[in-house]
Amino acid sequence: MEPPTGHRDPPSSLCRRAAASTLPQYAASEAEKKDKETNAALREAKKVWDKRAALEEAAKFEVADETGATTTLEQAALAGKRVVLFKNCTDCTFELPAALQGMIKVFVEGCVGCTIALKCKLVTSHLEVSHCENLTLNLEEAMIHTVQVDLTDGVTLRFGEGLLVEGVGQKVYHAGVKNMDVFGHTGGRHLSAHADYITDVAEGTELPEEQHFITQMVQGELVTEKAIKVGNRWATQRELDMETAAAASVTQREREELAAEAERSKLMGNQSFGAGEYAQAAVHYTMAIDQAGTAAAGQEAEAGAAANPLVPICYSNRAACFLKLGQHERALEDADCCIKHNPSFVKGHFRRGLSLHAMKRYTEALPSLGRALELESPKNKASTKQINDAIRFAEAKLASARRGGN
């Protein structure tokens, strides 16, 4: 609106206008300075990311497009690589012998008519299979806690004697799977389960191929049940009902015992993490979360959070495990759970920022990292340096992305 005729601005208004007239020049100089800093940071960031990419590539050994091959993978042939990918192979037989050391994970993608014998221990205790047909996996000597099978037809999983154990979190997760058979032996008994998403489909709004299932040991038998996503985990309705019933019957003494067990599980998780066994550490932290959560049953939400500081700690620690394992979405879910239980937990915000950064969601990562810096004590110099480094790294990656870089 135009001022009335004869109107004169007060001196304070004139001063503000005069100051505003200098802002563009100031902003330009600041932008130029920031641009130089960003370019320098980008150069450093590129060096770091190039090194990381080289390390990741160096860790992967790929067996691809083989037909009719019979191969035993030897340590020397792997040349220090610790992740194995079998891809688009046909009518082949592969073996990973028990002598292999330090193996991290195995992926099987797009293979047809193949047989793979997995005898070596995997650091992550994790095997992933997708888009395969008529595939046989013999898990013969080392226990695998998690097998993920998606969009396959005719997969057979054979667990060696004593390698199917109840109550240790050992599960086969599957979705879009046709004609899958799981076999095992324990205590001289032969165990089997058949899974097919078409015949196993349950009522619900999901399409059959979108439904998730879990096959695991239940009361001494192999059982396949529909999986339900609850927060950051998949569970069966039976497991959820058991948790509800258990929570309702917990006494004060049992709560104290569970709290002590939760602390022991957390310490075991810390030991496994320190030994580089990140998948096993995640199992221990999961047990600690469940035990601490059950110990808080029946209490008010606020009292429960205050009485169980272990819960956000273990969510944060498990997020760290998932970051190490490259499971960034699961790390983000755990970081969010940590923050929900304790909004002032520094590492929850920090690991949320790292998870988003790993997923290249830099714009979202920066506020979380900034919040971690706000909450951290300035006296904790090591932590503040780590957070500041992460912020600078995220800013550099964001600037690179906006400029069309990698």
Side-chain angles (χ1 to χ4, degrees), residues 56-78:
E56 290 178 350
E57 188 61 30
K60 185 185 295 182
F61 184 85
E62 184 172 313
V63 181
D65 303 314
E66 296 282 347
T67 300
T70 299
T71 305
T72 298
L73 300 184
E74 303 293 349
Q75 197 86 48
L78 295 177

Side-chain angles (χ1 to χ4, degrees), residues 4 7 23 49 62 70 101 103 123 160 165 182 208 215 240 245-246 289 299 309 346 384 388:
H7 174 82
L23 286 177
W49 276 90
E62 184 172 313
T70 299
Q101 298 293 317
M103 302 307 295
V123 173
V165 181
V182 182
T215 297
L240 296 175
I289 290 167
Q299 302 180 20
V346 175
T384 54
N388 274 315

Side-chain angles (χ1 to χ4, degrees), residues 252-271:
Q252 180 58 36
R253 180 176 178 180
E254 288 170 330
R255 288 192 184 101
E256 293 173 357
E257 291 174 351
L258 281 168
E261 289 178 9
E263 181 63 36
R264 286 193 291 271
S265 294
K266 188 203 80 166
L267 291 175
M268 291 175 69
N270 292 349
Q271 291 174 355

Side-chain angles (χ1 to χ4, degrees), residues 291-344:
Q291 290 159 347
T294 305
Q299 302 180 20
E300 294 296 327
E302 294 79 9
N308 288 275
L310 215 60
V311 173
I313 291 173
C314 288
Y315 271 122
S316 174
N317 289 354
R318 195 170 69 177
C321 293
F322 289 141
L323 282 168
K324 289 287 189 181
L325 295 171
Q327 300 178 28
H328 305 130
E329 291 184 358
R330 297 181 72 181
L332 177 60
E333 290 174 352
D334 272 6
D336 284 338
C337 287
C338 170
I339 295 167
K340 180 179 178 181
H341 281 274
N342 185 352
S344 299

Side-chain angles (χ1 to χ4, degrees), residues 221-293:
E221 300 293 339
L222 268 174
V223 176
T224 296
E225 303 167 278
K226 186 178 186 298
I228 304 166
K229 191 166 188 180
V230 182
N232 66 326
R233 66 186 178 110
W234 290 94
T236 67
Q237 187 61 55
R238 175 187 52 80
E239 291 170 329
L240 296 175
D241 291 343
M242 289 176 61
E243 290 172 8
T244 301
S249 62
V250 171
T251 65
Q252 180 58 36
R253 180 176 178 180
E254 288 170 330
R255 288 192 184 101
E256 293 173 357
E257 291 174 351
L258 281 168
E261 289 178 9
E263 181 63 36
R264 286 193 291 271
S265 294
K266 188 203 80 166
L267 291 175
M268 291 175 69
N270 292 349
Q271 291 174 355
S272 294
F273 190 93
E277 298 177 349
Y278 306 119
Q280 187 59 47
V283 171
H284 288 307
Y285 292 136
T286 298
M287 292 177 65
I289 290 167
D290 291 342
Q291 290 159 347

